[in-house]
Amino acid sequence: MKPLVIAGNWKSNKTTAEALRWLQDFKSHIVSIPKYITVVLCVPFTLLYTLKEAIQSDGFPLVLGAQNLSPFADGAQTGEESARMVHDLADWVIIGHSERRKNFGETDGILRKKVEQAKSAGLKIIYCVPNDSTGIPNDVDVVAYEPVWAIGTGESDIPENANSVMTNIKAKSQVPTVIYGGSVTAANVASFVSQPAIDGVLPGGESLDPEKFAALLIHAYG
Ligand code: PEP
């Protein structure tokens, strides 16, 4: 079995009580996660502490990721979470999601600074790109290919097409792990992860529902 990274992206959703309920429900739908699958749960900053405590207390094999971090180190940056703070609570971080590029004006220059900060704090980086011509900074751990038209639309890329874009991304960037994001569900996950260049998926909407996310994982290794 090839190693897979499955990273759920909760985006800007869930209160603390909702997150804890999600975790309980998720565990009732999935008995175990095979060792070759890394499941990263990327949640808002406000949920990291509570989820970290909950996951540590029962040893469930989920790892936590943030969805953003400051391009600056600690200091006079009101409202920002530095990489060092994020790494206190999470092991991974998403950088360059298309929603941040579009809605928050994050340029390649800003994203490069975020990658530098994340790397120096020891965070593992999932770097999102919408195609195979977008630049990828050195030192990222995972690239997520996410065609913008497929995010949150219910329309996913054709697996063979995603595979060929991701083959190009691997050749250009030398990053060994490339995952696909864009309307991934339990019904289509196997068609993606069975492609040779696809090393996992980044589901957004589907990760919000614990039963659907558990089903997605089961179909990924089914
Ligand atoms: C995402 O959050 O990056 C994403 C791909 O969302 P969705 O699975 O809902 O399309």
Side-chain angles (χ1 to χ4, degrees):
M1 289 292 191
K2 68 177 173 185
L4 293 178
V5 174
I6 299 193
N9 178 14
W10 280 5
K11 312 194 186 202
S12 187
N13 287 291
K14 296 197 191 294
T15 62
T16 302
E18 289 164 350
L20 288 172
R21 210 170 316 124
W22 184 100
L23 192 60
Q24 279 314 113
D25 288 354
F26 179 67
K27 286 189 291 190
S28 72
H29 290 295
I30 196 156
V31 180
S32 64
I33 296 172
K35 284 215 164 16
Y36 68 92
I37 302 189
T38 303
V39 183
V40 189
L41 202 57
C42 299
V43 303
F45 290 133
T46 49
L47 302 176
L48 284 172
Y49 180 79
T50 307
L51 286 174
K52 183 181 175 184
E53 296 273 297
I55 288 166
Q56 273 178 354
S57 75
D58 63 11
F60 203 72
L62 283 175
V63 292
L64 288 174
Q67 304 165 9
N68 188 25
L69 83 177
S70 176
F72 301 105
D74 294 9
Q77 308 292 344
T78 303
E80 288 290 281
E81 277 76 31
S82 73
R84 213 169 64 89
M85 297 170 193
V86 173
H87 192 40
D88 210 14
L89 300 173
D91 292 318
W92 291 71
V93 65
I94 296 174
I95 297 178
H97 194 281
S98 67
E99 288 153 12
R100 294 215 59 88
R101 292 177 192 260
K102 178 166 171 273
N103 301 336
F104 300 92
E106 295 194 354
T107 60
D108 288 346
I110 292 171
L111 297 175
R112 250 193 321 275
K113 286 187 183 166
K114 292 190 176 202
V115 168
E116 282 163 19
Q117 290 296 324
K119 209 66 214 172
S120 68
L123 283 159
K124 290 205 170 90
I125 299 164
I126 299 173
Y127 193 82
C128 301
V129 295
N131 51 47
D132 54 8
S133 49
T134 301
I136 296 171
N138 292 335
D139 286 339
V140 312
D141 298 278
V142 172
V143 173
Y145 160 58
E146 298 208 301
V148 175
W149 55 265
I151 299 178
T153 59
E155 305 237 334
S156 51
D157 203 348
I158 296 164
E160 290 74 12
N161 183 58
N163 185 64
S164 98
V165 174
M166 292 159 80
T167 302
N168 294 341
I169 289 173
K170 280 187 177 174
K172 263 179 57 180
S173 67
Q174 311 292 318
V175 176
T177 306
V178 182
I179 64 178
Y180 167 78
S183 299
V184 177
T185 64
N188 65 20
V189 65
S191 67
F192 286 105
V193 299
S194 59
Q195 297 290 326
I198 302 185
D199 306 300
V201 289
L202 199 167
E206 205 78 349
S207 70
L208 289 172
D209 179 320
E211 188 172 354
K212 288 184 179 169
F213 192 54
L216 188 152
L217 289 177
I218 289 163
H219 282 81
Y221 52 80

